[in-house]
Short mmCIF file of all heavy atoms in Angstrom, two decimals:
data_model
loop_
_atom_site.label_atom_id
_atom_site.label_comp_id
_atom_site.label_asym_id
_atom_site.label_seq_id
_atom_site.Cartn_x
_atom_site.Cartn_y
_atom_site.Cartn_z
N MET A 24 91.47 63.72 19.13
CA MET A 24 90.64 62.99 20.04
C MET A 24 89.25 63.64 20.14
O MET A 24 88.25 62.95 20.19
CB MET A 24 91.29 62.89 21.41
CG MET A 24 90.43 62.09 22.36
SD MET A 24 90.71 62.34 24.12
CE MET A 24 90.05 63.91 24.43
N TYR A 25 89.21 64.98 20.18
CA TYR A 25 87.93 65.67 20.33
C TYR A 25 86.99 65.36 19.17
O TYR A 25 85.80 65.17 19.37
CB TYR A 25 88.14 67.18 20.48
CG TYR A 25 88.44 67.58 21.90
CD1 TYR A 25 89.35 66.88 22.68
CD2 TYR A 25 87.80 68.66 22.48
CE1 TYR A 25 89.61 67.24 23.98
CE2 TYR A 25 88.05 69.03 23.78
CZ TYR A 25 88.95 68.32 24.53
OH TYR A 25 89.20 68.66 25.83
N GLU A 26 87.52 65.27 17.97
CA GLU A 26 86.68 64.93 16.82
C GLU A 26 86.03 63.56 17.02
O GLU A 26 84.83 63.39 16.80
CB GLU A 26 87.51 64.92 15.53
CG GLU A 26 87.99 66.28 15.13
CD GLU A 26 89.01 66.24 14.00
OE1 GLU A 26 89.38 65.15 13.53
OE2 GLU A 26 89.46 67.33 13.59
N ARG A 27 86.83 62.61 17.44
CA ARG A 27 86.32 61.24 17.63
C ARG A 27 85.28 61.19 18.75
O ARG A 27 84.23 60.56 18.61
CB ARG A 27 87.46 60.29 17.92
CG ARG A 27 86.96 58.89 18.23
CD ARG A 27 88.05 57.90 18.24
NE ARG A 27 87.92 57.22 16.94
CZ ARG A 27 88.86 56.51 16.39
NH1 ARG A 27 90.03 56.38 16.97
NH2 ARG A 27 88.66 55.91 15.25
N VAL A 28 85.55 61.85 19.86
CA VAL A 28 84.60 61.85 20.98
C VAL A 28 83.28 62.49 20.56
O VAL A 28 82.21 61.96 20.84
CB VAL A 28 85.20 62.57 22.21
CG1 VAL A 28 84.14 62.79 23.29
CG2 VAL A 28 86.37 61.78 22.76
N ILE A 29 83.35 63.62 19.88
CA ILE A 29 82.12 64.31 19.46
C ILE A 29 81.31 63.44 18.51
O ILE A 29 80.09 63.37 18.60
CB ILE A 29 82.45 65.68 18.85
CG1 ILE A 29 82.93 66.62 19.97
CG2 ILE A 29 81.25 66.26 18.12
CD1 ILE A 29 83.52 67.92 19.47
N ARG A 30 81.99 62.75 17.61
CA ARG A 30 81.28 61.90 16.65
C ARG A 30 80.77 60.59 17.25
O ARG A 30 79.74 60.08 16.83
CB ARG A 30 82.18 61.59 15.45
CG ARG A 30 82.38 62.74 14.52
CD ARG A 30 83.05 62.31 13.21
NE ARG A 30 84.21 61.47 13.42
CZ ARG A 30 85.47 61.88 13.37
NH1 ARG A 30 85.73 63.14 13.12
NH2 ARG A 30 86.46 61.04 13.55
N GLU A 31 81.48 60.04 18.23
CA GLU A 31 81.19 58.68 18.66
C GLU A 31 80.66 58.52 20.08
O GLU A 31 80.29 57.42 20.46
CB GLU A 31 82.44 57.82 18.49
CG GLU A 31 82.88 57.74 17.04
CD GLU A 31 84.11 56.88 16.84
OE1 GLU A 31 84.44 56.08 17.74
OE2 GLU A 31 84.73 57.01 15.77
N ALA A 32 80.63 59.58 20.86
CA ALA A 32 80.14 59.45 22.24
C ALA A 32 78.72 58.92 22.24
O ALA A 32 77.89 59.31 21.43
CB ALA A 32 80.20 60.80 22.94
N GLN A 33 78.45 58.03 23.18
CA GLN A 33 77.13 57.42 23.28
C GLN A 33 76.26 58.09 24.35
O GLN A 33 75.04 58.02 24.27
CB GLN A 33 77.27 55.93 23.61
CG GLN A 33 77.99 55.16 22.52
CD GLN A 33 77.19 55.10 21.25
OE1 GLN A 33 76.01 54.79 21.26
NE2 GLN A 33 77.83 55.40 20.14
N THR A 34 76.90 58.69 25.34
CA THR A 34 76.14 59.29 26.44
C THR A 34 76.73 60.64 26.82
O THR A 34 77.86 60.98 26.44
CB THR A 34 76.19 58.39 27.69
OG1 THR A 34 77.54 58.35 28.17
CG2 THR A 34 75.68 56.98 27.41
N ARG A 35 75.98 61.39 27.58
CA ARG A 35 76.45 62.67 28.12
C ARG A 35 77.66 62.43 29.02
O ARG A 35 78.58 63.23 29.06
CB ARG A 35 75.32 63.34 28.89
CG ARG A 35 75.73 64.69 29.47
CD ARG A 35 74.60 65.36 30.16
NE ARG A 35 73.62 65.76 29.16
CZ ARG A 35 72.51 66.39 29.43
NH1 ARG A 35 72.20 66.68 30.67
NH2 ARG A 35 71.67 66.72 28.47
N GLU A 36 77.66 61.31 29.71
CA GLU A 36 78.79 60.99 30.59
C GLU A 36 80.07 60.81 29.78
O GLU A 36 81.15 61.19 30.23
CB GLU A 36 78.48 59.73 31.42
CG GLU A 36 77.44 59.94 32.50
CD GLU A 36 76.00 60.01 31.97
OE1 GLU A 36 75.72 59.49 30.85
OE2 GLU A 36 75.17 60.61 32.66
N ASP A 37 79.97 60.22 28.58
CA ASP A 37 81.13 60.11 27.70
C ASP A 37 81.68 61.50 27.37
O ASP A 37 82.89 61.73 27.43
CB ASP A 37 80.77 59.42 26.38
CG ASP A 37 80.44 57.95 26.54
OD1 ASP A 37 80.81 57.34 27.56
OD2 ASP A 37 79.79 57.41 25.62
N LEU A 38 80.80 62.41 27.02
CA LEU A 38 81.24 63.77 26.69
C LEU A 38 81.89 64.44 27.89
O LEU A 38 82.95 65.05 27.78
CB LEU A 38 80.05 64.60 26.20
CG LEU A 38 79.38 64.13 24.91
CD1 LEU A 38 78.12 64.92 24.64
CD2 LEU A 38 80.35 64.21 23.74
N ASN A 39 81.26 64.31 29.05
CA ASN A 39 81.81 64.92 30.26
C ASN A 39 83.16 64.31 30.65
O ASN A 39 84.03 65.01 31.17
CB ASN A 39 80.83 64.79 31.43
CG ASN A 39 79.65 65.72 31.28
OD1 ASN A 39 79.74 66.78 30.67
ND2 ASN A 39 78.53 65.32 31.82
N ALA A 40 83.33 63.03 30.38
CA ALA A 40 84.57 62.35 30.77
C ALA A 40 85.75 62.75 29.88
O ALA A 40 86.88 62.82 30.36
CB ALA A 40 84.37 60.84 30.71
N TYR A 41 85.49 63.03 28.61
CA TYR A 41 86.59 63.21 27.67
C TYR A 41 86.77 64.62 27.12
O TYR A 41 87.79 64.91 26.51
CB TYR A 41 86.44 62.24 26.50
CG TYR A 41 86.52 60.81 26.94
CD1 TYR A 41 85.39 60.02 27.00
CD2 TYR A 41 87.74 60.26 27.33
CE1 TYR A 41 85.46 58.70 27.42
CE2 TYR A 41 87.82 58.94 27.75
CZ TYR A 41 86.67 58.17 27.79
OH TYR A 41 86.76 56.87 28.21
N LEU A 42 85.78 65.49 27.30
CA LEU A 42 85.89 66.85 26.76
C LEU A 42 86.08 67.86 27.88
O LEU A 42 85.47 67.76 28.93
CB LEU A 42 84.63 67.22 25.96
CG LEU A 42 84.30 66.34 24.76
CD1 LEU A 42 83.02 66.83 24.10
CD2 LEU A 42 85.44 66.28 23.77
N ASN A 43 86.90 68.84 27.61
CA ASN A 43 87.12 69.95 28.53
C ASN A 43 86.63 71.20 27.81
O ASN A 43 87.02 71.47 26.67
CB ASN A 43 88.61 70.06 28.85
CG ASN A 43 88.92 71.29 29.65
OD1 ASN A 43 89.09 72.37 29.09
ND2 ASN A 43 88.99 71.13 30.96
N ALA A 44 85.76 71.98 28.46
CA ALA A 44 85.12 73.13 27.83
C ALA A 44 86.13 74.13 27.28
O ALA A 44 86.01 74.59 26.14
CB ALA A 44 84.17 73.81 28.80
N MET A 45 87.10 74.50 28.09
CA MET A 45 88.07 75.51 27.65
C MET A 45 88.88 74.99 26.47
O MET A 45 89.09 75.70 25.49
CB MET A 45 88.98 75.90 28.80
CG MET A 45 89.90 77.05 28.46
SD MET A 45 89.03 78.59 28.13
CE MET A 45 88.59 79.04 29.80
N SER A 46 89.32 73.75 26.54
CA SER A 46 90.09 73.17 25.44
C SER A 46 89.24 73.05 24.18
O SER A 46 89.72 73.33 23.08
CB SER A 46 90.62 71.79 25.82
OG SER A 46 91.53 71.90 26.88
N LEU A 47 87.99 72.66 24.34
CA LEU A 47 87.10 72.54 23.19
C LEU A 47 86.93 73.88 22.50
O LEU A 47 87.00 73.98 21.28
CB LEU A 47 85.74 71.98 23.60
CG LEU A 47 84.72 71.82 22.48
CD1 LEU A 47 85.23 70.87 21.41
CD2 LEU A 47 83.38 71.35 23.04
N ARG A 48 86.73 74.94 23.29
CA ARG A 48 86.58 76.27 22.69
C ARG A 48 87.84 76.69 21.93
O ARG A 48 87.76 77.32 20.89
CB ARG A 48 86.25 77.29 23.77
CG ARG A 48 84.83 77.18 24.25
CD ARG A 48 84.50 78.31 25.23
NE ARG A 48 83.52 77.83 26.17
CZ ARG A 48 83.78 77.43 27.40
NH1 ARG A 48 84.98 77.47 27.89
NH2 ARG A 48 82.81 77.00 28.17
N LYS A 49 88.99 76.32 22.46
CA LYS A 49 90.25 76.71 21.81
C LYS A 49 90.46 76.01 20.47
O LYS A 49 91.03 76.59 19.56
CB LYS A 49 91.43 76.41 22.73
CG LYS A 49 91.53 77.35 23.90
CD LYS A 49 92.69 77.00 24.79
CE LYS A 49 92.75 77.92 25.99
NZ LYS A 49 93.86 77.56 26.90
N VAL A 50 90.02 74.77 20.36
CA VAL A 50 90.26 74.01 19.13
C VAL A 50 89.05 73.90 18.21
O VAL A 50 89.16 73.35 17.11
CB VAL A 50 90.79 72.58 19.45
CG1 VAL A 50 92.08 72.66 20.24
CG2 VAL A 50 89.74 71.75 20.17
N TRP A 51 87.92 74.40 18.63
CA TRP A 51 86.66 74.19 17.91
C TRP A 51 86.77 74.50 16.42
O TRP A 51 86.36 73.70 15.57
CB TRP A 51 85.53 75.01 18.54
CG TRP A 51 84.23 74.80 17.83
CD1 TRP A 51 83.57 75.69 17.03
CD2 TRP A 51 83.43 73.61 17.84
NE1 TRP A 51 82.42 75.13 16.54
CE2 TRP A 51 82.32 73.85 17.03
CE3 TRP A 51 83.58 72.37 18.45
CZ2 TRP A 51 81.33 72.90 16.82
CZ3 TRP A 51 82.59 71.40 18.24
CH2 TRP A 51 81.49 71.68 17.44
N HIS A 52 87.33 75.63 16.07
CA HIS A 52 87.38 76.04 14.66
C HIS A 52 88.38 75.23 13.85
O HIS A 52 88.36 75.30 12.62
CB HIS A 52 87.65 77.54 14.55
CG HIS A 52 86.52 78.34 15.13
ND1 HIS A 52 85.28 78.45 14.52
CD2 HIS A 52 86.42 79.04 16.27
CE1 HIS A 52 84.49 79.18 15.27
NE2 HIS A 52 85.14 79.56 16.35
N ASP A 53 89.22 74.45 14.50
CA ASP A 53 90.19 73.60 13.80
C ASP A 53 89.70 72.16 13.64
O ASP A 53 90.34 71.38 12.93
CB ASP A 53 91.51 73.58 14.56
CG ASP A 53 92.15 74.96 14.61
OD1 ASP A 53 92.06 75.71 13.62
OD2 ASP A 53 92.73 75.30 15.66
N LEU A 54 88.61 71.82 14.28
CA LEU A 54 88.11 70.44 14.22
C LEU A 54 87.49 70.15 12.87
O LEU A 54 86.81 70.99 12.28
CB LEU A 54 87.07 70.19 15.32
CG LEU A 54 87.56 70.28 16.75
CD1 LEU A 54 86.41 70.01 17.72
CD2 LEU A 54 88.71 69.33 17.01
N PHE A 55 87.73 68.94 12.37
CA PHE A 55 87.13 68.48 11.13
C PHE A 55 85.93 67.62 11.49
O PHE A 55 86.06 66.45 11.86
CB PHE A 55 88.15 67.68 10.32
CG PHE A 55 87.62 67.22 9.00
CD1 PHE A 55 87.41 68.12 7.96
CD2 PHE A 55 87.31 65.89 8.80
CE1 PHE A 55 86.91 67.70 6.75
CE2 PHE A 55 86.80 65.46 7.59
CZ PHE A 55 86.61 66.36 6.56
N LEU A 56 84.75 68.25 11.43
CA LEU A 56 83.50 67.57 11.78
C LEU A 56 82.50 67.76 10.64
O LEU A 56 82.54 68.77 9.94
CB LEU A 56 82.90 68.17 13.05
CG LEU A 56 83.71 67.98 14.33
CD1 LEU A 56 83.18 68.88 15.44
CD2 LEU A 56 83.67 66.52 14.76
N PRO A 57 81.58 66.81 10.48
CA PRO A 57 80.53 67.00 9.47
C PRO A 57 79.75 68.28 9.77
O PRO A 57 79.50 68.62 10.93
CB PRO A 57 79.64 65.76 9.64
CG PRO A 57 80.52 64.75 10.32
CD PRO A 57 81.46 65.54 11.18
N VAL A 58 79.37 68.99 8.72
CA VAL A 58 78.66 70.26 8.88
C VAL A 58 77.42 70.13 9.77
O VAL A 58 77.22 70.95 10.66
CB VAL A 58 78.31 70.88 7.51
CG1 VAL A 58 77.41 72.10 7.66
CG2 VAL A 58 79.59 71.25 6.77
N PRO A 59 76.59 69.08 9.59
CA PRO A 59 75.41 68.98 10.47
C PRO A 59 75.79 68.83 11.95
O PRO A 59 75.10 69.35 12.82
CB PRO A 59 74.68 67.73 9.97
CG PRO A 59 75.15 67.54 8.58
CD PRO A 59 76.56 68.05 8.54
N VAL A 60 76.87 68.15 12.23
CA VAL A 60 77.32 67.96 13.61
C VAL A 60 77.79 69.31 14.18
O VAL A 60 77.39 69.71 15.26
CB VAL A 60 78.45 66.91 13.70
CG1 VAL A 60 79.05 66.88 15.09
CG2 VAL A 60 77.93 65.54 13.29
N LYS A 61 78.63 69.99 13.42
CA LYS A 61 79.15 71.28 13.87
C LYS A 61 78.02 72.28 14.07
O LYS A 61 77.97 73.01 15.05
CB LYS A 61 80.17 71.82 12.87
CG LYS A 61 81.15 72.76 13.49
CD LYS A 61 82.41 72.84 12.67
CE LYS A 61 83.51 73.39 13.56
NZ LYS A 61 84.80 73.43 12.95
N THR A 62 77.07 72.30 13.14
CA THR A 62 75.91 73.20 13.24
C THR A 62 75.08 72.89 14.47
O THR A 62 74.66 73.80 15.20
CB THR A 62 75.05 73.11 11.97
OG1 THR A 62 75.87 73.44 10.84
CG2 THR A 62 73.86 74.05 12.02
N ALA A 63 74.85 71.63 14.73
CA ALA A 63 74.04 71.23 15.90
C ALA A 63 74.74 71.63 17.20
O ALA A 63 74.09 72.14 18.12
CB ALA A 63 73.79 69.72 15.87
N TRP A 64 76.05 71.40 17.29
CA TRP A 64 76.79 71.78 18.49
C TRP A 64 76.77 73.29 18.69
O TRP A 64 76.61 73.78 19.79
CB TRP A 64 78.22 71.26 18.42
CG TRP A 64 78.32 69.86 18.94
CD1 TRP A 64 77.85 68.72 18.35
CD2 TRP A 64 78.91 69.45 20.17
NE1 TRP A 64 78.11 67.63 19.13
CE2 TRP A 64 78.77 68.05 20.25
CE3 TRP A 64 79.55 70.13 21.19
CZ2 TRP A 64 79.24 67.32 21.33
CZ3 TRP A 64 80.03 69.39 22.27
CH2 TRP A 64 79.87 68.02 22.33
N GLU A 65 76.95 74.04 17.60
CA GLU A 65 76.95 75.50 17.72
C GLU A 65 75.56 76.03 18.08
O GLU A 65 75.46 77.04 18.77
CB GLU A 65 77.46 76.13 16.43
CG GLU A 65 78.94 75.90 16.25
CD GLU A 65 79.48 76.41 14.93
OE1 GLU A 65 78.68 76.80 14.05
OE2 GLU A 65 80.72 76.42 14.77
N ALA A 66 74.52 75.35 17.64
CA ALA A 66 73.16 75.75 18.03
C ALA A 66 72.94 75.49 19.51
O ALA A 66 72.31 76.29 20.21
CB ALA A 66 72.13 75.00 17.18
N ARG A 67 73.45 74.38 20.00
CA ARG A 67 73.29 74.01 21.41
C ARG A 67 74.21 74.80 22.33
O ARG A 67 73.86 75.12 23.45
CB ARG A 67 73.55 72.50 21.56
CG ARG A 67 73.48 71.99 22.97
CD ARG A 67 72.07 72.08 23.54
NE ARG A 67 72.00 71.53 24.86
CZ ARG A 67 72.23 72.23 26.00
NH1 ARG A 67 72.52 73.49 25.94
NH2 ARG A 67 72.13 71.63 27.16
N PHE A 68 75.42 75.12 21.83
CA PHE A 68 76.43 75.84 22.61
C PHE A 68 76.90 77.06 21.81
O PHE A 68 77.95 77.02 21.17
CB PHE A 68 77.62 74.93 22.95
CG PHE A 68 77.20 73.64 23.60
CD1 PHE A 68 77.27 72.44 22.91
CD2 PHE A 68 76.74 73.63 24.91
CE1 PHE A 68 76.88 71.25 23.51
CE2 PHE A 68 76.35 72.44 25.52
CZ PHE A 68 76.42 71.25 24.82
N PRO A 69 76.13 78.16 21.84
CA PRO A 69 76.46 79.34 21.02
C PRO A 69 77.86 79.89 21.25
O PRO A 69 78.44 80.50 20.35
CB PRO A 69 75.40 80.36 21.43
CG PRO A 69 74.27 79.56 21.99
CD PRO A 69 74.90 78.33 22.59
N ALA A 70 78.44 79.68 22.40
CA ALA A 70 79.80 80.18 22.66
C ALA A 70 80.81 79.60 21.68
O ALA A 70 81.84 80.21 21.42
CB ALA A 70 80.22 79.89 24.09
N LEU A 71 80.53 78.44 21.12
CA LEU A 71 81.45 77.82 20.18
C LEU A 71 81.55 78.60 18.87
O LEU A 71 82.58 78.61 18.23
CB LEU A 71 81.04 76.37 19.88
CG LEU A 71 81.17 75.40 21.04
CD1 LEU A 71 80.59 74.05 20.66
CD2 LEU A 71 82.61 75.28 21.49
N ARG A 72 80.48 79.25 18.46
CA ARG A 72 80.52 79.95 17.18
C ARG A 72 80.93 81.41 17.32
O ARG A 72 81.14 82.08 16.33
CB ARG A 72 79.18 79.83 16.47
CG ARG A 72 78.04 80.54 17.14
CD ARG A 72 76.77 80.48 16.29
NE ARG A 72 75.67 81.02 17.05
CZ ARG A 72 74.65 80.33 17.49
NH1 ARG A 72 74.54 79.07 17.19
NH2 ARG A 72 73.71 80.90 18.19
N GLU A 73 81.08 81.89 18.53
CA GLU A 73 81.45 83.28 18.74
C GLU A 73 82.94 83.47 18.53
O GLU A 73 83.74 82.61 18.89
CB GLU A 73 81.07 83.71 20.16
CG GLU A 73 79.57 83.68 20.38
CD GLU A 73 79.18 83.90 21.83
OE1 GLU A 73 80.07 84.14 22.67
OE2 GLU A 73 77.98 83.82 22.12
N PRO A 74 83.36 84.62 17.98
CA PRO A 74 84.78 84.88 17.74
C PRO A 74 85.61 84.79 19.00
O PRO A 74 86.73 84.34 18.97
CB PRO A 74 84.81 86.30 17.18
CG PRO A 74 83.43 86.56 16.69
CD PRO A 74 82.52 85.69 17.51
N GLY A 75 85.08 85.20 20.15
CA GLY A 75 85.82 85.16 21.40
C GLY A 75 85.60 83.87 22.17
O GLY A 75 85.71 83.85 23.38
N ALA A 76 85.31 82.78 21.50
CA ALA A 76 84.98 81.52 22.15
C ALA A 76 86.06 81.05 23.12
O ALA A 76 85.75 80.43 24.12
CB ALA A 76 84.70 80.44 21.11
N THR A 77 87.30 81.37 22.86
CA THR A 77 88.37 80.88 23.73
C THR A 77 88.35 81.57 25.09
O THR A 77 88.94 81.08 26.04
CB THR A 77 89.75 81.07 23.10
OG1 THR A 77 89.94 82.44 22.82
CG2 THR A 77 89.89 80.25 21.85
N THR A 78 87.66 82.70 25.22
CA THR A 78 87.62 83.40 26.49
C THR A 78 86.26 83.31 27.17
O THR A 78 86.04 83.94 28.18
CB THR A 78 88.00 84.89 26.30
OG1 THR A 78 87.07 85.48 25.41
CG2 THR A 78 89.41 85.02 25.76
N ALA A 79 85.35 82.53 26.59
CA ALA A 79 84.02 82.40 27.19
C ALA A 79 84.14 81.79 28.58
O ALA A 79 84.98 80.94 28.84
CB ALA A 79 83.13 81.53 26.31
N ALA A 80 83.28 82.22 29.49
CA ALA A 80 83.41 81.82 30.89
C ALA A 80 82.63 80.56 31.26
O ALA A 80 82.90 79.95 32.28
CB ALA A 80 82.98 82.97 31.79
N ALA A 81 81.65 80.15 30.47
CA ALA A 81 80.82 79.01 30.83
C ALA A 81 81.63 77.72 30.84
O ALA A 81 82.46 77.50 29.98
CB ALA A 81 79.66 78.87 29.85
N SER A 82 81.39 76.88 31.82
CA SER A 82 82.11 75.61 31.89
C SER A 82 81.34 74.55 31.14
O SER A 82 80.15 74.66 30.91
CB SER A 82 82.29 75.18 33.35
OG SER A 82 81.06 74.78 33.88
N TRP A 83 82.03 73.49 30.75
CA TRP A 83 81.38 72.40 30.01
C TRP A 83 80.26 71.80 30.86
O TRP A 83 79.19 71.52 30.36
CB TRP A 83 82.42 71.32 29.68
CG TRP A 83 81.78 70.20 28.96
CD1 TRP A 83 81.47 68.97 29.45
CD2 TRP A 83 81.30 70.22 27.63
NE1 TRP A 83 80.85 68.22 28.50
CE2 TRP A 83 80.73 68.98 27.37
CE3 TRP A 83 81.29 71.18 26.63
CZ2 TRP A 83 80.16 68.66 26.14
CZ3 TRP A 83 80.73 70.85 25.41
CH2 TRP A 83 80.18 69.61 25.18
N THR A 84 80.48 71.63 32.14
CA THR A 84 79.46 71.05 33.00
C THR A 84 78.19 71.86 32.97
O THR A 84 77.10 71.33 32.86
CB THR A 84 79.98 70.94 34.45
OG1 THR A 84 81.19 70.21 34.44
CG2 THR A 84 78.98 70.27 35.34
N SER A 85 78.31 73.18 33.03
CA SER A 85 77.10 74.00 33.02
C SER A 85 76.43 73.97 31.65
O SER A 85 75.23 74.13 31.53
CB SER A 85 77.40 75.44 33.44
OG SER A 85 78.22 76.08 32.49
N CYS A 86 77.20 73.74 30.60
CA CYS A 86 76.62 73.67 29.25
C CYS A 86 75.79 72.41 29.08
O CYS A 86 74.85 72.38 28.31
CB CYS A 86 77.73 73.67 28.21
SG CYS A 86 78.57 75.23 28.02
N THR A 87 76.15 71.33 29.78
CA THR A 87 75.46 70.06 29.58
C THR A 87 74.51 69.72 30.71
O THR A 87 73.90 68.67 30.72
CB THR A 87 76.48 68.92 29.43
OG1 THR A 87 77.26 68.85 30.61
CG2 THR A 87 77.35 69.11 28.22
N ALA A 88 74.37 70.63 31.67
CA ALA A 88 73.59 70.32 32.86
C ALA A 88 72.10 70.19 32.64
O ALA A 88 71.42 69.49 33.36
CB ALA A 88 73.87 71.37 33.95
N ASP A 89 71.56 70.82 31.63
CA ASP A 89 70.09 70.78 31.50
C ASP A 89 69.59 69.68 30.64
O ASP A 89 69.82 68.69 30.37
CB ASP A 89 69.53 72.09 30.97
CG ASP A 89 70.19 72.54 29.68
OD1 ASP A 89 70.59 71.69 28.88
OD2 ASP A 89 70.32 73.76 29.51
#
């Protein structure tokens, strides 16, 4: 589901409604996403590319708040 939401969400509200930050961090490296999409998300949310991403403390809401 996360792959589909990341690829097809139309608004920030869609992302907030269907993605959970902690769950996303746990599955991030297993998701099959186009390289440009994965690169863009990792640039926007550096915690996703870090080895300890599953223990990062930032919440999804705070990541998308600005």
Side-chain angles (χ1 to χ4, degrees):
M24 181 201 72
Y25 275 46
E26 292 170 358
R27 176 168 258 163
V28 170
I29 289 170
R30 286 192 312 260
E31 298 181 18
Q33 297 293 312
T34 66
R35 181 177 291 181
E36 289 76 22
D37 291 341
L38 297 173
N39 287 331
Y41 297 106
L42 300 179
N43 173 276
M45 187 64 75
S46 296
L47 179 60
R48 286 185 210 101
K49 287 179 182 178
V50 301
W51 181 251
H52 295 289
D53 297 323
L54 296 180
F55 182 72
L56 294 167
V58 172
V60 172
K61 205 158 200 175
T62 302
W64 274 71
E65 289 175 351
R67 177 66 177 89
F68 307 108
L71 293 174
R72 67 174 173 247
E73 296 171 4
T77 58
T78 60
S82 71
W83 179 255
T84 304
S85 66
C86 289
T87 60
D89 53 32

